[in-house]
Amino acid sequence: MTETRVFFNFDVTADSHTLAAYRQRGGYQALEKVLKGMQPIDVENEVKASGLRGRGGAGFPTGMKWSFVNKQSPVIYLCCNADEGEPGTFKDRWIFENTSHQLIEGMIIASYALKVRHSFIYIRGEFDLPYRRLMEALKEAKEAGLVGEKILGTEFSCDIIVHQGGGAYVCGEESSLLTSIEGFKGYPKNKPPFPAVKGLYQKPTVINNVETLATIPWILANGGATYAAIGTEKCSGTKLFGVSGHVNRPGLFEKPMGYSYKKLIYEDCGGILGGKELKAVIPGGSSTPVLLPSEIETLTMDAEAVQAAGSMLGSGGVIVIAEGTCMVRLLQVLSRFYAHESCGQCTPCREGSAWMNDIITRISRGKGVKGDLERLECITKGIMGNTVCALGDAASMPVNGFLKKFRHEFEYFIEHGRSMYDGRLEI
Amino acid sequence: MSCLEEKFDQLRSVYPAEMNSSLVLPLLHLMLKEKGHLTESDAVFIAQYLDVPPMQVKEALTWYTMLYRQPVGKHVIKICRNIGCSLMGAERLIEYLERKLGIKEGETTADGRFTLLAVECLASCGTAPAMQIDDTYHEQLNESKIDQILKELS
């Protein structure tokens, strides 16, 4: 079961991203099978049977998301969320650079299931090679009759429009992403109505992550039940995990859900830099609460297990922190990020993220005062649950997590005006 | 600006007609490529072309960080300062670049060759530390690699 690979099933070569190479590894056979032999509802049922859950971070069941859309609506949109920006996450980029066609095939299959005529890829503006690879692949696909009018000679037509972002983390939040495609600054919208009811230009819209959509061809080629057999019962399939920070061999790994964090860090990544001890792990992108070595000892990489440990599987960005790292200064890096990326719409997040950053920065410069930690906790309470989108929570969770697990380091910094660990981030 | 309008028209044909407003960001990007930085009158020009409220385009212009509103150097160096890169020495490299270029983060060299920006996550955490110069990513950086990269730039 550990051998199944949805993504890492080919060697990356100079031309492995081309249509010819993708076809050679079985590419677009699933599309042919779907368009020439399946009804849209069959496709949706197959995805439901696979148990596939969104790979962007929230982990919502994909088939269920698709089923919320009223397929009788005259216009339905599909948007691929490729605004990869959660610190610690670098998987979608790999998909674009090495197998863009897999995403394109997944999008056309999804569009067929959802009765979509125009679909969108919202790709983060900084991405250059990923963007160029995607555009090359789209051109190839159009010329080969795989995208556009009457795909593969059938009655189904679908265009893919690539929309480049402008460098805003919040646009990875789905309603913000839609506002951005509509040509405005990317303010998130209140839900309900959910995008499945009123999304892009008030039309029913499905938003799926790159990895989610790129998994669709495999599911349709091999069957939903086959996919569901991989991983854990509630968290099926394989997932791309990106490991960064203080490990000997950082990088991207495809693992079945339920794989061991410890194995990933110590075997796949060759252990901690310089043979140091592990200090902490941020398990699923920078917004997810930090875990101690004792908490990952037997922890498995699936949504339920990580949630039970008090954190989240998130986007699969595993950030490894070695003993000797100053957690106060590390939190400052994160608080600065969230303060910078808060979109400005909701007062609790706009003001709160800036206040938190001010206080944490002050502590990290040796100017912290008594009561600062309680003040931080009070601010997170004021933010969480009181904002339109999840960015406020994302800014607060690391603060709460760091204070809970490494409070003594913050207290030491405030009391002595200096770090317990020479203020080091680099080991 | 007729040449620019031709390029605008080309881009417009990509989007369904009812999505006229969606062109705000693509057109701002296009104009930025042409001009290096954007001003309020550029936003008004786009608003008139698309027949959308000028305020909508001005808001977009001032909100997206990739849209420069001040002149930038011939090359823009964006070096990541977020968590993955920080753990691998980003702070040291930012200081190194500041010393090497003789400017602070956010500034442009006197000869107009380089602008140095410290930016948030570039999705290069597995190949940290990373920077982007103009469009191109440079990863697994160290001081000598930075020296080499800057030397090769025209």
Side-chain angles (χ1 to χ4, degrees):
Chain A
M1 124 182 164
T2 52
E3 294 308 311
T4 307
R5 295 281 179 268
V6 175
F7 294 97
F8 286 15
N9 52 15
F10 64 95
D11 293 323
V12 173
T13 59
D15 61 357
S16 52
H17 59 280
T18 61
L19 176 59
Y22 184 60
R23 278 198 196 277
Q24 219 159 43
R25 49 181 191 264
Y28 289 109
Q29 283 174 14
L31 180 67
E32 182 126 17
K33 176 178 163 187
V34 165
L35 291 190
K36 296 189 172 165
M38 288 173 81
Q39 291 302 313
I41 188 68
D42 302 334
V43 178
E44 185 178 305
N45 286 336
E46 209 60 52
V47 173
K48 270 187 181 161
S50 76
L52 176 66
R53 291 164 64 171
R55 300 297 195 233
F60 194 83
T62 305
M64 199 189 290
K65 199 183 234 185
W66 290 9
S67 71
F68 291 157
V69 170
N70 176 4
K71 314 291 190 307
Q72 307 307 318
S73 307
V75 179
I76 298 167
Y77 293 122
L78 171 69
C79 293
C80 169
N81 186 345
D83 195 39
E84 180 163 66
E86 175 74 8
T89 317
F90 46 93
K91 62 189 180 67
D92 299 341
R93 192 184 144 196
W94 184 91
I95 295 174
F96 282 119
E97 287 178 8
N98 298 297
T99 187
S100 279
H101 279 289
Q102 196 173 332
L103 171 67
I104 294 170
E105 185 181 12
M107 285 192 67
I108 298 297
I109 294 172
S111 296
Y112 176 73
L114 293 160
K115 304 184 179 169
V116 166
R117 178 64 183 82
H118 290 103
S119 63
F120 295 82
I121 299 175
Y122 187 95
I123 185 166
R124 73 174 286 184
E126 289 87 349
F127 279 173
D128 176 51
L129 182 60
Y131 174 76
R132 284 188 284 122
R133 285 274 163 86
L134 171 64
M135 296 313 274
E136 277 168 38
L138 259 181
K139 189 164 172 273
E140 283 181 315
K142 273 182 205 159
E143 284 166 3
L146 299 160
V147 172
E149 298 282 338
K150 298 195 183 305
I151 295 170
L152 291 171
T154 66
E155 284 308 302
F156 182 66
S157 301
C158 179
D159 285 307
I160 296 177
I161 298 163
V162 180
H163 197 89
Q164 289 179 287
Y169 168 71
V170 76
C171 288
E173 194 279 338
E174 59 179 16
S175 66
S176 164
L177 183 148
L178 298 180
T179 319
S180 183
I181 297 183
E182 287 169 355
F184 297 88
K185 59 180 173 181
Y187 273 7
K189 290 174 189 146
N190 265 317
K191 295 176 218 177
F194 287 93
V197 180
K198 280 188 177 181
L200 188 62
Y201 289 99
Q202 301 294 306
K203 303 289 192 290
T205 303
V206 168
I207 302 136
N208 286 140
N209 172 257
V210 176
E211 188 186 348
T212 313
L213 286 166
T215 302
I216 300 294
W218 195 97
I219 291 172
L220 272 300
N222 299 280
T226 317
Y227 191 80
I230 310 165
T232 68
E233 198 192 326
K234 287 187 175 167
C235 214
S236 65
T238 68
K239 161 129 193 64
L240 295 174
F241 290 93
V243 189
S244 59
H246 299 149
V247 288
N248 284 313
R249 289 191 302 273
L252 195 63
F253 301 86
E254 180 176 6
K255 296 290 171 194
M257 292 287 195
Y259 193 75
S260 145
Y261 272 101
K262 222 177 156 191
K263 236 170 133 178
L264 180 74
I265 294 167
Y266 286 96
E267 290 177 25
D268 298 295
C269 297
I272 311 299
L273 273 179
K276 292 225 188 311
E277 290 294 312
L278 177 66
K279 179 169 188 172
V281 175
I282 301 178
S286 69
S287 311
T288 61
V290 64
L291 296 174
L292 296 170
S294 59
E295 291 171 305
I296 66 131
E297 190 61 34
T298 57
L299 188 62
T300 53
M301 303 183 334
D302 57 273
E304 282 65 34
V306 188
Q307 197 178 352
S311 192
M312 292 189 305
L313 185 71
S315 58
V318 182
I319 304 163
V320 179
I321 300 155
E323 198 53 72
T325 309
C326 176
M327 298 307 271
V328 178
R329 296 208 48 242
L330 196 61
L331 183 61
Q332 194 269 333
V333 168
L334 291 181
S335 68
R336 178 180 63 195
F337 164 66
Y338 290 107
H340 180 260
E341 298 297 340
S342 177
C343 81
Q345 179 174 213
C346 309
T347 309
C349 173
R350 181 187 63 238
E351 302 301 320
S353 63
W355 291 344
M356 291 196 295
N357 184 42
D358 285 350
I359 295 170
I360 296 162
T361 302
R362 152 169 106 204
I363 299 172
S364 73
R365 288 183 181 152
K367 308 262 189 248
V369 294
K370 208 166 170 280
D372 270 354
L373 303 186
E374 293 71 23
R375 242 185 301 278
L376 282 171
E377 283 160 339
C378 175
I379 295 168
T380 65
K381 277 201 198 97
I383 298 173
M384 291 181 81
N386 294 324
T387 56
V388 167
C389 85
L391 197 146
D393 286 21
S396 306
M397 285 189 297
V399 174
N400 283 333
F402 274 58
L403 287 184
K404 193 172 154 199
K405 307 275 167 70
F406 301 99
R407 196 175 193 90
H408 58 285
E409 283 190 40
F410 289 82
E411 288 169 345
Y412 184 96
F413 218 132
I414 292 173
E415 197 185 329
H416 297 86
R418 63 183 163 82
S419 168
M420 258 174 105
Y421 295 97
D422 305 333
R424 289 179 68 141
L425 297 179
E426 192 186 2
I427 292 298
Chain B
M1 291 227 187
S2 64
C3 167
L4 195 61
E5 278 193 56
E6 254 170 55
K7 286 183 182 166
F8 277 20
D9 291 343
Q10 217 170 27
L11 206 50
R12 202 171 201 170
S13 67
V14 174
Y15 288 77
E18 64 275 19
M19 293 196 167
N20 187 49
S21 169
S22 289
L23 283 148
V24 168
L25 193 49
L27 293 186
L28 283 165
H29 272 309
L30 202 160
M31 220 160 169
L32 182 71
K33 266 218 166 79
E34 300 276 323
K35 302 187 65 178
H37 75 283
L38 299 171
T39 62
E40 206 172 293
S41 63
D42 297 324
V44 173
F45 179 80
I46 289 173
Q48 281 167 349
Y49 173 83
L50 291 176
D51 195 21
V52 300
M55 184 50 74
Q56 178 187 340
V57 188
K58 285 187 210 172
E59 276 190 348
L61 171 59
T62 53
W63 193 82
Y64 291 100
T65 47
M66 285 179 73
L67 305 174
Y68 305 133
R69 282 172 288 140
Q70 252 94 51
V72 289
K74 186 176 175 200
H75 300 292
V76 179
I77 304 173
K78 296 176 178 178
I79 181 155
C80 175
R81 64 177 184 185
N82 210 299
I83 187 162
C85 287
S86 289
L87 291 170
M88 299 303 282
E91 294 185 333
R92 171 169 50 87
L93 295 181
I94 292 171
E95 279 170 26
Y96 179 74
L97 273 166
E98 286 182 335
R99 273 203 311 278
K100 189 176 167 73
L101 300 172
I103 51 172
K104 287 282 168 203
E105 180 272 311
E107 295 176 350
T108 301
T109 54
D111 62 2
R113 279 194 77 209
F114 295 107
T115 296
L116 178 63
L117 301 175
V119 299
E120 301 303 348
C121 190
L122 290 169
S124 296
C125 321
T127 39
M131 67 178 177
Q132 182 176 26
I133 301 185
D134 305 325
D135 287 332
T136 311
Y137 273 46
H138 301 276
E139 300 169 284
Q140 291 171 319
L141 294 174
N142 54 41
E143 284 84 347
S144 63
K145 216 166 160 183
I146 288 178
D147 288 344
Q148 192 60 35
I149 293 162
L150 293 195
K151 215 166 91 185
E152 281 165 13
L153 283 176
S154 59

